[in-house]
Amino acid sequence: MEIQLKGLPAVAVVILVLGFGAYRVHSMQTTLETDAVEELKFWILSDYARQALADLPDDVNTVSDQQATETAEKIQALERIEFTSIKAKGMWKSGKDADVIVKADLLVDGQPPPDGVSTRYYKMRYSSVSGWRVIRRTSAWSWRLKLW
């Protein structure tokens, strides 16, 4: 069986194929849901808090009130995480589990992050049971290689 498309039907098929391709590209690079953004913010904050607490001595009894106050103020300032840009690659639909690679550009308290890395990449997973989870921090290569 041979199918020949000529004239107007051929144009319609080409338009449908291009439309489907454009939809796939658009759905691969989109913004994240609010729940996913909050989960990512919590992940980044916990990373900064861990770094700030690592500066304290191991023996809690030797920490002065001034050190404790400075560390608490430092952590409070780090809580003000602002995403200047956030994009996700990967297909997901409500009710289906999926892996997504996220590219996030951020500021902390209106300044570049303390570690100097303002663009970060994360692997996130959506589960219909547990919602959004950050799996790990990943590289720019993962972002570039993720097609869908």
Side-chain angles (χ1 to χ4, degrees):
M1 183 170 144
E2 188 176 312
I3 298 175
Q4 293 183 354
L5 293 174
K6 295 181 181 178
L8 194 55
V11 171
V13 168
V14 168
I15 289 173
L16 282 173
V17 168
L18 290 175
F20 180 73
Y23 168 75
R24 292 284 295 184
V25 168
H26 173 70
S27 64
M28 284 188 323
Q29 292 189 20
T30 185
T31 57
L32 282 177
E33 298 172 359
T34 305
D35 295 343
V37 172
E38 290 303 315
E39 184 69 22
L40 191 57
K41 232 181 225 188
F42 180 74
W43 180 277
I44 294 169
L45 173 62
S46 63
D47 187 35
Y48 286 143
R50 184 180 69 246
Q51 292 172 14
L53 292 173
D55 294 340
L56 293 174
D58 290 337
D59 187 8
V60 179
N61 296 325
T62 62
V63 176
S64 69
D65 289 341
Q66 181 182 2
Q67 275 183 308
T69 303
E70 287 173 359
T71 303
E73 288 172 355
K74 189 175 179 181
I75 291 173
Q76 279 183 330
L78 293 173
E79 284 182 0
R80 294 186 280 275
I81 296 170
E82 174 189 341
F83 292 108
T84 57
S85 171
I86 188 164
K87 294 184 178 184
K89 277 189 178 181
M91 296 285 291
W92 69 87
K93 295 178 183 173
S94 182
K96 291 190 176 184
D97 298 351
D99 288 340
V100 178
I101 303 295
V102 177
K103 177 183 179 183
D105 296 318
L106 58 109
L107 296 174
V108 177
D109 200 20
Q111 304 292 324
D115 57 4
V117 182
S118 58
T119 301
R120 297 158 186 257
Y121 301 90
Y122 294 92
K123 180 174 183 177
M124 295 184 74
R125 180 169 292 150
Y126 178 78
S127 168
S128 55
V129 176
S130 61
W132 284 101
R133 292 182 299 144
V134 177
I135 303 301
R136 67 177 180 269
R137 193 166 167 185
T138 188
S139 69
W141 283 108
S142 295
W143 171 261
R144 290 183 186 110
L145 294 175
K146 179 77 171 179
L147 299 177
W148 54 77

